[in-house]
Amino acid sequence: MSRISDTFQNAEGKKQFIAYVCALDPDYSTSLEVCRTLVTSGVDILELGVPFSDPLADGKTNQLAAERALASGGTPDQVTELVKEIRKFSEVPIVLYTYYNLVYNKGVDSYVKLAKDSGVDGILVLDLPPEESDEMNGACKKYGVDQIFLIAPTTPDSRIPIITKNASGFIYYVSQEGVTGERKNVASNIESRVTTIRESTTLPIGVGFGISNADHVRQVAQHSDAVIVGSSIVRIIEQNADNKEALLTALSNKIEAMLKGLQPES
């Protein structure tokens, strides 16, 4: 049983809040404090983007985060060290959000083992299709790391069982077409798509992309097991990158406001 599975099984009906940030943004020490603040503010699962020079699934906000992390000297090995430091103060489940070039460069087996040894619980490889993921599947099963897959609004129904077959931890449903980024409104077809996905898996389903306020969280949580928020959190880092105290305060306030979307309406 992984930390991710435990978190969902022990939720007792509570919907989970998953926060995404790019690791090492804007630098190592600040990123560590960002992660500490997210955890202490009530985030259930922490999703860490591994800085990459060509983040094709990301919108401008997250692209700029990766640029800041790389400009500060950030490397995949530093992400591993960051996870080890987080493990000194928290057992929150941690998912790496990465691209296959980085996995391939290290070697699939070595990448997954290093992630596991550092304290990572799950890996989401954005650009790895399930038909080409046998080596990754084997390594994740070997080391007990959850392999998380994406399902998009445009994914044909017939393809969903292919994606869910080797998935573990949870399914990440991308609620909006296109790249990551804040949106004014949540997608209108989340309920029907999640219902279709549930026909092919018993795994929890997290919904992300475009969720930026408590009202969005409330709407999405009605139909999912977890709400995934990224760009609106990363934007706070962008806006306060030169003032750590202001950054951490703003982050804490943002998470507090977003979590209200998971509370019963009075």
Side-chain angles (χ1 to χ4, degrees):
M1 192 73 71
S2 71
R3 289 188 186 94
I4 296 173
S5 298
D6 284 346
T7 293
F8 281 106
Q9 289 197 6
N10 296 329
E12 297 181 346
K14 173 183 174 293
K15 303 304 175 73
Q16 302 298 284
F17 188 93
I18 303 176
Y20 167 90
V21 291
C22 180
L24 315 177
D25 174 29
D27 54 61
Y28 182 95
S29 62
T30 304
S31 184
L32 180 60
E33 293 309 308
V34 163
C35 293
R36 189 191 305 272
T37 298
L38 293 175
V39 170
T40 57
S41 297
V43 166
D44 297 298
I45 297 175
L46 187 60
E47 188 178 31
L48 296 178
V50 181
F52 183 51
S53 58
D54 189 22
L56 56 87
D58 292 304
K60 183 178 180 180
T61 298
N62 289 347
Q63 287 181 10
L64 290 174
E67 284 186 15
R68 289 191 297 271
L70 292 171
S72 74
T75 66
D77 286 342
Q78 282 191 339
V79 176
T80 301
E81 294 304 313
L82 181 72
V83 175
K84 289 179 180 178
E85 287 300 311
I86 294 170
R87 282 286 166 251
K88 292 179 180 179
F89 61 80
S90 177
E91 289 297 306
V92 65
I94 295 175
V95 175
L96 291 187
Y97 173 109
T98 191
Y99 290 89
Y100 192 67
N101 277 21
L102 299 173
V103 179
Y104 182 81
N105 183 61
K106 176 72 72 173
V108 174
D109 190 270
S110 296
Y111 190 97
V112 177
K113 183 180 187 303
L114 187 62
K116 176 66 174 182
D117 289 347
S118 70
V120 168
D121 303 290
I123 300 177
L124 168 58
V125 184
L126 274 294
D127 53 350
L128 180 63
E131 293 89 346
E132 300 176 19
S133 66
D134 286 352
E135 188 175 5
M136 191 74 186
N137 296 340
C140 285
K141 290 176 181 177
K142 176 180 177 181
Y143 295 111
V145 175
D146 286 323
Q147 187 172 16
I148 295 153
F149 284 99
L150 297 172
I151 293 177
T154 54
T155 300
D157 290 357
S158 60
R159 184 167 164 75
I160 292 175
I162 298 172
I163 298 172
T164 60
K165 179 181 177 182
N166 289 305
S168 58
F170 64 93
I171 296 294
Y172 190 135
Y173 174 60
V174 177
S175 64
Q176 304 272 5
E177 295 182 29
V179 295
T180 60
E182 297 172 85
R183 309 288 204 279
K184 290 184 178 179
N185 300 298
V186 298
S188 60
N189 64 342
I190 292 176
E191 180 179 9
S192 62
R193 291 299 288 162
V194 169
T195 298
T196 299
I197 295 169
R198 290 197 194 282
E199 294 173 359
S200 298
T201 184
T202 58
L203 290 173
I205 298 173
V207 175
F209 279 46
I211 301 166
S212 56
N213 58 51
D215 187 52
H216 289 174
V217 170
R218 184 173 294 107
Q219 293 178 58
V220 171
Q222 293 176 17
H223 311 298
S224 67
D225 302 294
V227 179
I228 306 167
V229 180
S231 295
S232 65
I233 296 173
V234 175
R235 187 176 296 280
I236 292 174
I237 301 174
E238 176 184 355
Q239 294 170 339
N240 298 277
D242 296 326
N243 187 333
K244 186 183 293 188
E245 183 178 354
L247 165 59
L248 300 181
T249 299
L251 276 177
S252 180
N253 291 340
K254 178 67 173 180
I255 299 303
E256 180 182 358
M258 297 283 274
L259 288 176
K260 289 180 179 178
L262 298 181
Q263 298 172 1
E265 294 186 85
S266 56

